[in-house]
Amino acid sequence: MRKWMIGLVASMLITTLAGCSSTSNKESTAVNTGTTEGKTQTLRIAMGSPGEGLIKVWEDIGKEFESQHAGIKVEFNYQDDDTYQTIGLPNLLSGKNAPDLYFEWAGQRLQTRVSDGYAADITEQLQSSGLKDMFADGTFNGMIVDGKTYMIPTAGDVTNMIFYNKEIFSKQGLEPPTTWEEFLTVCQKLKDAGITPLVIGNSDLWTAGNWIAHVISRVVGEDAYSEALQLKQPFHSKDFIKAYTYVQELWDKGYINDNVNALNDSEGDMMFLNGSAAMHPIGSWLVPTAVEENPDLQLGYFNTPVMPEGKGNQDSVIGVLNGMVVNKNSKLIDEAIDFMKLYSSAESSKKLSDAGAVPITKDGINTETTHPLSLSLNDLMENAPALVSPPDTGYSIEVANALNMATSQIIGGAKSPEDALSELETTIAPLK
């Protein structure tokens, strides 16, 4: 899995905030709205935890919305990211007090919500409310199913870049590599100098899973990568074995931390940020983490190097667009649209930007306060000639988990590419 929005991710499980009503019913006690007496309704919003700074912004927007909408209370439900993505959101959607508005990833996961009847077609409301005009053309990629729009964009993340310590590189006389051969040469020079070349915290499988998925797509081609994840062609193939052979080489030559599958992603982050390794493949959310944890770190990044005889676009970027979905079963669909219009406003975007996010609206990015690396990464994704979806946000979670498991086995030296892919095929056989 991956962190869902740029910024530090808090570790709370479920918290109800933002001027919330503690009632468990859709309607609570009668209140005086200023003109007539009515019943307070609760607009419920669910998401993974975006981090303390961004939680405060969501709360502020919720309070402002309440002040503009008499008789409406806003209730936020935050969950641990991994919980939310696996069992948390499905349980919420099928529960008694389902969210009216909830966070989701564009692509296959959104299509699943549409198929299951939990996503409202908001095509007309986006147009009539003016909300659609707040976004640039193309922002809704992956959010349209059969010609209908089902999501409001909130952010886009580059889910993997290879971040590097500029000071270490400078002292060793190294430059960011552009080809896989150059990358291996850099790794060897760092190892010879007694420096761990690469650190990854892969205990949850998604961290190495994201990067190696990009390597795979570069080798086998974007179409073959996508078709395998959709079970339209086998993983156990000559090209997939070739891609994983490059991964195996990283382990065999000692270029990666030997506890790669024992550390979690945050522990991997900290090893890199404290100078224990020269490079760290991870997503764009590392930037605000680095600013907070080690503001003096000279941080740089480079994309996955060009793979030898790769069949994919060698300038591709692995990333994902995400946003908020209006529950088809909600009684407050129009209010949910109004909330997202307030969230997407220039004023709210400035607050989000100041808190470390990179809003995706036309005028959402504050170039004066957003970190230059975050701006650069945002531009990189917007201008990518090919955008590769990570396994666990663009495709079936069961298939993604099986692929990420194979990656962990190979990058940790437990299995050969052939054996890992054979096990993968056995795992996903019931899904076909």
Side-chain angles (χ1 to χ4, degrees):
M1 313 215 173
R2 49 175 292 283
K3 297 297 191 292
W4 68 273
M5 182 181 284
I6 294 177
L8 288 173
V9 176
S11 59
M12 62 186 67
L13 179 60
I14 301 179
T15 308
T16 303
L17 298 168
C20 306
S21 167
S22 61
T23 179
S24 62
N25 297 319
K26 210 47 162 161
E27 298 181 351
S28 60
T29 57
V31 296
N32 193 320
T33 64
T35 54
T36 60
E37 285 207 340
K39 293 183 178 180
T40 298
Q41 292 180 291
T42 301
L43 180 69
R44 294 183 168 87
I45 303 174
M47 67 187 78
S49 174
E52 293 180 5
L54 289 169
I55 284 175
K56 185 180 186 305
V57 177
W58 279 93
E59 289 180 12
D60 289 344
I61 295 172
K63 291 174 183 176
E64 184 176 353
F65 182 84
E66 290 173 350
S67 72
Q68 297 174 3
H69 296 75
I72 299 290
K73 285 289 184 182
V74 179
E75 180 180 287
F76 291 103
N77 189 322
Y78 304 101
Q79 294 188 351
D80 169 82
D81 282 4
D82 289 348
T83 300
Y84 181 84
Q85 190 177 10
T86 52
I87 62 173
L89 178 58
N91 286 343
L92 288 174
L93 290 173
S94 61
K96 181 179 179 181
N97 297 309
D100 303 283
L101 189 64
Y102 59 92
F103 172 85
E104 189 54 281
W105 287 266
Q108 183 63 45
R109 284 180 60 95
L110 174 61
Q111 291 182 31
T112 299
R113 303 301 169 215
V114 173
S115 299
D116 291 346
Y118 292 120
D121 171 12
I122 55 173
T123 309
E124 182 179 343
Q125 289 93 333
L126 285 173
Q127 192 68 50
S128 61
S129 67
L131 181 53
K132 184 178 180 181
D133 295 333
M134 301 170 78
F135 300 90
D137 293 339
T139 307
F140 291 89
N141 288 340
M143 303 181 184
I144 299 173
V145 180
D146 295 331
K148 300 175 182 179
T149 306
Y150 291 91
M151 179 180 282
I152 301 146
T154 55
D157 281 342
V158 175
T159 51
N160 195 274
M161 280 286 130
I162 303 177
F163 288 90
Y164 70 99
N165 186 315
K166 286 186 174 181
E167 184 177 2
I168 291 177
F169 267 53
S170 178
K171 287 182 178 179
Q172 299 301 320
L174 301 173
E175 295 290 336
T178 59
T179 68
W180 190 257
E181 293 85 350
E182 292 174 356
F183 178 62
L184 295 179
T185 298
V186 166
C187 287
Q188 187 61 50
K189 288 182 177 179
L190 289 165
K191 182 185 177 184
D192 291 343
I195 302 167
T196 300
L198 290 156
V199 63
I200 303 177
N202 193 49
S203 63
D204 292 322
L205 306 184
W206 61 265
T207 40
N210 282 351
W211 177 37
I212 302 310
H214 196 202
V215 171
I216 291 171
S217 74
R218 289 280 188 88
V219 175
V220 307
E222 292 84 17
D223 289 344
Y225 164 81
S226 180
E227 287 178 359
L229 278 159
Q230 295 177 70
L231 305 182
K232 295 179 180 178
Q233 70 174 46
F235 283 99
H236 198 293
S237 67
K238 180 180 178 181
D239 283 345
F240 271 84
I241 291 172
K242 180 180 179 181
Y244 269 139
T245 298
Y246 296 121
V247 180
Q248 183 181 38
E249 187 175 13
L250 297 176
W251 173 263
D252 289 345
K253 292 187 174 180
Y255 295 158
I256 195 164
N257 52 305
D258 56 12
N259 57 350
V260 56
N261 290 323
L263 298 179
N264 64 34
D265 60 297
S266 296
E267 291 169 329
D269 290 347
M270 293 312 300
M271 279 190 65
F272 171 70
L273 295 176
N274 67 23
S276 297
M279 294 179 288
H280 184 42
I282 199 70
S284 53
W285 51 87
L286 180 71
V287 176
T289 304
V291 170
E292 181 166 333
E293 297 293 339
N294 188 358
D296 296 326
L297 177 67
Q298 298 178 38
L299 186 65
Y301 74 83
F302 57 90
N303 203 350
T304 296
V306 173
M307 303 304 298
E309 301 178 352
K311 295 181 179 180
N313 190 313
Q314 300 302 304
D315 292 318
S316 65
V317 172
I318 187 166
V320 67
L321 291 169
N322 48 50
M324 302 299 290
V325 180
V326 180
N327 192 338
K328 184 178 180 180
N329 304 310
S330 171
K331 296 180 180 179
L332 299 173
I333 290 179
D334 290 338
E335 288 80 2
I337 293 291
D338 286 346
F339 181 91
M340 288 310 299
K341 188 171 181 180
L342 176 61
Y343 175 90
S344 304
S345 68
E347 296 78 10
S348 296
S349 292
K350 184 180 185 306
K351 295 177 183 178
L352 291 161
S353 181
D354 290 345
V358 182
I360 204 167
T361 52
K362 287 179 180 177
D363 55 358
I365 297 178
N366 186 332
T367 57
E368 295 182 359
T369 58
T370 303
H371 194 284
L373 281 182
S374 293
L375 292 173
S376 174
L377 287 161
N378 186 69
D379 289 343
L380 183 70
M381 188 170 76
E382 286 188 358
N383 296 309
L387 188 64
V388 177
S389 294
D392 63 356
T393 57
Y395 303 95
S396 160
I397 193 66
E398 292 87 355
V399 179
N401 286 342
L403 178 62
N404 287 344
M405 175 59 73
T407 293
S408 72
Q409 292 169 339
I410 296 165
I411 205 168
K415 289 184 181 293
S416 68
E418 293 84 352
D419 289 345
L421 287 169
S422 292
E423 182 176 310
L424 190 166
E425 294 289 358
T426 300
T427 301
I428 63 174
L431 303 174
K432 293 183 178 180

